[in-house]
Amino acid sequence: MPERLAEMLLDLWTPLIILWITLPPCIYMAPMNQSQGLMGGSPLELNRLTEEQRILNRSKRGWVWNQMFVLEEFSGPEPILVGRLHTDLDPGSKKIKYILSGDGAGTIFQINDITGDIHAIKRLDREEKAEYTLTAQAVDWETNKPLEPPSEFIIKVQDINDNAPEFLNGPYHATVPEMSILGTSVTNVTATDADDPVYGNSAKLVYSILEGQPYFSIEPETAIIKTALPNMDREAKEEYLVVIQAKDMGGHSGGLSGTTTLTVTLTDVNDNPPKFAQSLYHFSVPEDVVLGTAIGRVKANDQDIGENAQSSYDIIDGDGTALFEITSDAQAQDGIIRLRKPLDFETKKSYTLKVEAANVHIDPRFSGRGPFKDTATVKIVVEDADEPPVFSSPTYLLEVHENAALNSVIGQVTARDPDITASPIRFSIDRHTDLERQFNINADDGKITLATPLDRELSVWHNITIIATEIRNHSQISRVPVAIKVLDVNDNAPEFASEYEAFLCENGKPGQVIQTVSAMDKDDPKNGHYFLYSLLPEMVNNPNFTIKKNEDNSLSILAKHNGFNRQKQEVYLLPIIISDSGNPPLSSTSTLTIRVCGCSSDGVVQSCNVEAYVLPIGLSMGALIAILACIILLLVIVVLFVTLRRHKNEPLIIKDDEDVRENIIRYDDEGGGEEDTEAFDIATLQNPDGINGFLPRKDIKPDLQFMPRQGLAPVPNGVDVDEFINVRLHEADNDPTAPPYDSIQIYGYEGRGSVAGSLSSLESTTSDSDQNFDYLSDWGPRFKRLGELYSVGESDKET
């Protein structure tokens, strides 16, 4: 209560103190004029001076004003008096006129030009404009001449509490960690008041919480919001709504207030350990499940969220730690149990695991609450499954000699059914891996035998696949690769590595190496090849050549003497026996051809035939070839010249005027009678090559031999003449050996259905003398004249 009384007294004395500060200068300079306004500044009376004094001394102002004040938001029936202007030059005779100019002059503020009273004619708002600067001047009423220099003064709008506090940034949101200690700062809020913060308590704000207690508190002056309860638990309540009030006038009665809301969210901390939903889990898995398959999931629930709820899972104990593993699913926050190694129902039917879940991120502040981990037991039962056969080895390696006998046993594969009810096994070879069917297998015991002879020199390795199938369930099969290596035996005799041909110079020296040869053997001995070379027994004492074995397993052929003559003997044949070091050893005879050649002085071979020997000594082989080429060129030119002369004398192209084709001249067409409706197009008889501009050459014999067409059966009377002609025309056009007579004439066809029959004589078997034309008179009036002519002719002939 004393604080409230002190604030009220301060509000009342503030205007009085301001008035007391501004009054002494006015009282000191001049007495108060009775016509002065209550709230305006008082003008000072200026002592009149003589004219001489005004000339000699500095002129003083006729008035001095202080600030004027007017209350904002004042509304009454009459304009409010702000203040009064007066000068001591005014004798009261109404000869002085006051003029007001500046901010709001005439619109907001109005002056009585006679009395100098200033009135506010409009309602003022300090929040819009706090002060106005105006200029006052006294002038002569009649001449309007200024009596004093213009003087500037200020009218301030005095504040009243007409604006409530406002939270411009509301509503607000803030977070604070759960389990925070008492007094933890959450956030602070700020309200603004448009009233004057200097004058009075209109803008002095005090903050309080209307809703949100007892969880939060607020500092009244700073608006800092703090927690009012310790250890608030997010898992119990996560979000709180706080209503905050700001009140001006220092929070006293009569003040204005504004409110806003603050939403406080508790953020999570890791204050809860994981906990398995159940202490025992049961899973079953078939024994043939694929490695890496998920068998089951376990989950430890954590009331925390985000990374605070992340847990890692481990298998810490049990009899299946080597067969199973557990991984963490970061999305679902659970543990996935997977298979690491194959299961066997016949070996072990169940496993027990102890699984642990532990928080990944641990807050040391809450470590005293106990271990942030939990354990559970997992029982895994293995289910029996029909498994495929199992081979005794994942791969097999067999060896066989290439000379092994057919149907001999190479090796054996074994397999068994791992199930309790063991099924018999049947073996077979995947023929896609043995297309040539070189091997067979016994279906019952898995023994592999040789079906065709083997040759190591053709193929050293054979890779086949053996299939094991359960007899009781043919869908259960297994495959195993079998690699068969063919071992070498000495079955190939050595021979020359290539076709050698040696050259011997006539002017060679005795002991000169003519040729160095090497041998090859298709076999592959373990210690490498070692060859023995020798001459035939009957040629051991060869008078011309000898052999020498080199360290690199090769052989050199040497000449025993010089003076070889290619005219006497041009070619020598030297048989050489080559033996290998196999067991038993094999040998073969290879013949080396040695040709005697003419060489230069430095041993370069120049020619190796007898004909070249008889050539002139001064004529080289290159010159001889050039001469022969010139002769051939001259012969070709002569032949071409003769050919051109011949072609020039005889035209090569058959001209149109020399066309020897028979022409078909149509004199009359009696037709085939009433049923002949198929007209014949003579254009089909034209030479198609001639039409297209191609004229056949009659001086060139065709290169191709035309195959004569098969004899055609006699054409019946009802055949289609167009088809017949087209066939013959096609044959004639495609016959390159035929002369250029491709016109076809048909005389023995008169059409279909003619009652007269054929008029052609081609089919007649008798001569004209044997003809009797008396039947023409029976053909009607049209043939009467013809019958008379032929009848007369016959009579005359007889006569």
Side-chain angles (χ1 to χ4, degrees), residues 496-526:
F496 277 158
S498 62
E499 294 291 335
Y500 292 102
E501 185 177 11
F503 299 95
L504 173 64
C505 292
E506 290 180 315
N507 55 355
K509 298 178 181 180
Q512 181 180 359
V513 177
I514 301 173
Q515 181 72 37
T516 300
V517 298
S518 59
M520 61 168 289
D521 195 333
K522 295 180 180 179
D523 295 322
D524 187 18
K526 295 181 179 180

Side-chain angles (χ1 to χ4, degrees), residues 622-658:
L624 179 62
I625 294 174
I627 292 173
L628 293 176
C630 292
I631 294 174
I632 294 173
L633 181 62
L634 290 174
L635 291 175
V636 171
I637 293 174
V638 171
V639 172
L640 291 176
F641 179 75
V642 173
T643 303
L644 293 174
R645 288 291 302 272
R646 180 181 176 184
H647 281 256
K648 185 176 180 182
N649 295 333
E650 182 178 356
L652 303 180
I653 306 301
I654 300 176
K655 302 297 182 181
D656 293 340
D657 53 355
E658 297 178 355

Side-chain angles (χ1 to χ4, degrees), residues 19-59:
L19 182 60
W20 177 78
I21 293 173
T22 56
L23 285 179
C26 301
I27 300 173
Y28 177 78
M29 296 183 66
M32 179 71 70
N33 191 302
Q34 293 180 358
S35 63
Q36 292 176 345
L38 295 177
M39 298 188 67
S42 302
L44 301 178
E45 182 179 1
L46 185 62
N47 296 325
R48 295 182 180 275
L49 301 175
T50 61
E51 186 68 18
E52 294 80 5
Q53 288 177 328
R54 282 197 295 267
I55 295 175
L56 297 177
N57 299 326
R58 179 173 59 87
S59 176

Side-chain angles (χ1 to χ4, degrees), residues 398-412 429 438-442 446-454 484:
L398 306 179
E399 293 181 348
V400 57
H401 286 88
E402 60 179 328
N403 61 351
L406 296 181
N407 298 322
S408 60
V409 178
I410 299 173
Q412 184 178 10
I429 297 177
Q438 294 180 293
F439 306 97
N440 290 325
I441 189 170
N442 190 303
K447 291 182 178 180
I448 301 173
T449 58
L450 185 64
T452 60
L454 299 177
I484 302 174

Side-chain angles (χ1 to χ4, degrees), residues 502-510 512-514 545 559 561-566 572 594-608:
F503 299 95
L504 173 64
C505 292
E506 290 180 315
N507 55 355
K509 298 178 181 180
Q512 181 180 359
V513 177
I514 301 173
F545 308 101
H561 60 83
N562 57 1
F564 289 92
N565 190 341
R566 53 180 163 169
Y572 293 89
I594 303 174
R595 191 177 299 276
V596 181
C597 302
C599 303
S600 61
S601 59
D602 55 354
V604 178
V605 177
Q606 291 182 340
S607 62
C608 295

Side-chain angles (χ1 to χ4, degrees), residues 369-398:
R369 296 192 174 189
F372 281 75
K373 60 180 65 175
D374 193 18
T375 59
T377 302
V378 178
K379 292 278 189 180
I380 300 176
V381 177
V382 181
E383 297 178 350
D384 188 21
D386 190 4
E387 300 175 85
V390 178
F391 283 94
S392 60
S393 176
T395 59
Y396 290 89
L397 176 61
L398 306 179

Side-chain angles (χ1 to χ4, degrees), residues 5-18:
L5 182 59
E7 291 178 357
M8 295 178 63
L9 294 176
L10 181 61
D11 293 341
L12 294 175
W13 280 100
T14 299
L16 297 177
I17 293 172
I18 295 174

